[in-house]
Amino acid sequence: MSPSALSPSASGTSTPRARILIPEKVSPDGLALLSPHFDIDQPKGLSAEELLSIIPQYHALIIRSETKVTAEVLAAAKKLKVVARAGVGVDNVDVKSATNHGIIVVNSPSGNIVAAAEHTIALLMAVARNVPAGDRSLRNGGWERSKLVGTEVGGKTLGIIGLGKVGFKVARMGVGLGMKVIAMDPYASPDLATSASVTLVPDLKALLPQCDFLTAHTPLLDSTRDLIGTEELKTMKNTAKLLNVARGGVYNEEALLEAINNGTVAGAGLDVFTTEPPAANSAAQALCQHPKVVATPHLGASTVEAQENVSIDVCGQVLSILNGGLPTSAVNAPLILPEEYKRLQPFVKLVEKVGSLYTQHYGGKGGALGGKTFDLVYEGELAGISNTRPLFAALIKGLTSSVSDSGGRDVNIVNANLIAKDKGIVVNEIHSRTPSGDMVYASLVTLRASGGGEGIISGYVSGKTVYISRIDRFSASFVPEGTLLVLHNYDRPGKIGGVGGILGRHDINIRFMSVAADTKVEEAAEGGGERENEALMILGVEGQVGKEVEAELRGEKGILDVSVVHL
């Protein structure tokens, strides 16, 4: 059941007003939007049992971080249309269960941008000028000026990992302080970076050695967990200081503690930790107590203004949903409206899979999204559909899902254009009513990076099942589901056995295998040229494909490249 924004029953004098439950403190600025139209109840300190008993009466629930919205609560909420989280994360909401019950979950991802950016700069200045140590010394009767000599930030290099909304704001503030700002973000728009006087670099190897200060503004994903560890820290200046107001776990805390103790780096300013509050006797606790670290208890969004902003944002969305409109920041809003569902849903799924496959397959091959232009080509019957907004939204969701902490759940038909613009992604939708040479299906969808060459994926729908039919020059036929290994290899005897042996040693089971043939082989043969045959081996697997397994596969003779894709 897809979440929907249905309007209340037809109004009349006898129709009761919708009821909103707000069990936590929410800024009155937002409540002022709702109180003229709805009945609001604000009981504080509700137990889980009390919430479960009263939730059937309510049409909307507005929470912060303390209230746990479980599957049991959502099942009992027979009238509930929306759960609104006044903040960014929705870890305390069972989003999947809400989706199954047709309940929209909204949050406020932009309300704390300024607060988080300013707190980053506050930590930067604090570690640069030893402000907390000076305060402590003076309170204890000291006057240790010679021991607390700091450094100026003007003219220094600020390195940023992740140039999203917060990272971009930090970059502008850094430039305003006279800093040289460099950033690493494969999904950032080069034009946007240039407009802010930010120099983009391709990877950590190019970024880290230049940094006097390093700040991370990236979601915590499998690809970003422990992004900065022992080996990365060794490449930095011994005067460098690290900042984190984003997610605990992006920096490996044990490695950071060791690096500070050994003098590999000079210090850190930390607002987030892997466990909050930091566990006793943990590396996080040791960092909090370290004389070369400035630590704060997750204050990045803790400003009066940020609280007002998120309140106004989520209350405005609740107002829209209860009045029959669509939200602007839904975590699980539908990509497709009910009246279009039957016709387009299989292709929405296909396009999303194609986008996600593109990002994960080409992500390590220079296939960065930022500033890239794509052609999304509809052929056959699909070319005759005029409203392709759900397909466009599905593509943006697919392209961004593997690199966002929301998994792309926040992309919908309302905001897809804005998200694409923020990422610097341009999509040309092409309706081709003239069948191509590949057109053996009723409808075919092709995504290609503009300019031709590498970076082409095609797919089709058969019944309710989606298939990938082409990756670059290789003709394929496989269902894009689960964990996939995509191996580019020479088409020689024994390749399948060698790969199977490696996976078997690591207890990884092969669910299916598909071999994609090289469509250029015949052309080469016709031209009289000699060229060793190549192929793609696509394996659906069960088990953990870690970096060790990937490295072993890459080392196998005849394997040219390896991609691990989660769909």
Side-chain angles (χ1 to χ4, degrees), residues 377-400:
V377 184
Y378 311 120
E379 297 182 70
E381 295 175 1
L382 198 58
I385 293 178
S386 57
N387 179 19
T388 56
R389 287 175 65 204
L391 300 178
F392 175 86
L395 176 63
I396 301 305
K397 179 179 180 180
L399 289 171
T400 61

Side-chain angles (χ1 to χ4, degrees), residues 295-354:
T296 52
H298 206 146
L299 299 179
S302 295
T303 65
V304 172
E305 293 82 1
Q307 304 308 318
E308 291 174 349
N309 290 340
V310 298
S311 173
I312 292 170
D313 188 359
V314 298
C315 288
Q317 293 186 73
V318 169
L319 177 64
S320 176
I321 291 168
L322 293 183
N323 283 331
L326 285 170
T328 56
S329 299
V331 173
N332 66 338
L335 286 175
I336 186 167
L337 297 176
E339 60 269 21
E340 300 166 324
Y341 187 89
K342 187 174 180 180
R343 185 178 187 187
L344 280 184
Q345 179 59 21
F347 293 100
V348 168
K349 182 179 179 181
L350 171 63
V351 174
E352 181 182 337
K353 296 288 187 181
V354 167

Side-chain angles (χ1 to χ4, degrees), residues 247-249 253 271-280 282-285 288 298:
R247 293 288 189 275
E253 291 168 344
D271 185 52
V272 290
F273 307 91
T274 50
T275 57
E276 296 181 355
S282 65
Q285 186 185 61
C288 291
H298 206 146

Side-chain angles (χ1 to χ4, degrees), residues 15 153 251:
T15 303
V153 301
Y251 299 159

Side-chain angles (χ1 to χ4, degrees), residues 13-14 87 108 210 216 276 383 567:
T13 56
S14 61
S108 180
Q210 300 186 60
E276 296 181 355
L567 298 172

Side-chain angles (χ1 to χ4, degrees), residues 506 508 543-553 564:
H506 291 275
I508 297 172
Q544 184 65 38
V545 183
K547 293 181 180 179
E548 181 184 349
V549 178
E550 192 174 344
E552 194 170 342
L553 288 170
V564 182

Side-chain angles (χ1 to χ4, degrees), residues 115-132:
E118 288 184 350
H119 196 64
T120 302
I121 298 300
L123 288 178
L124 184 152
M125 298 303 299
V127 298
R129 299 305 299 270
N130 300 310
V131 173

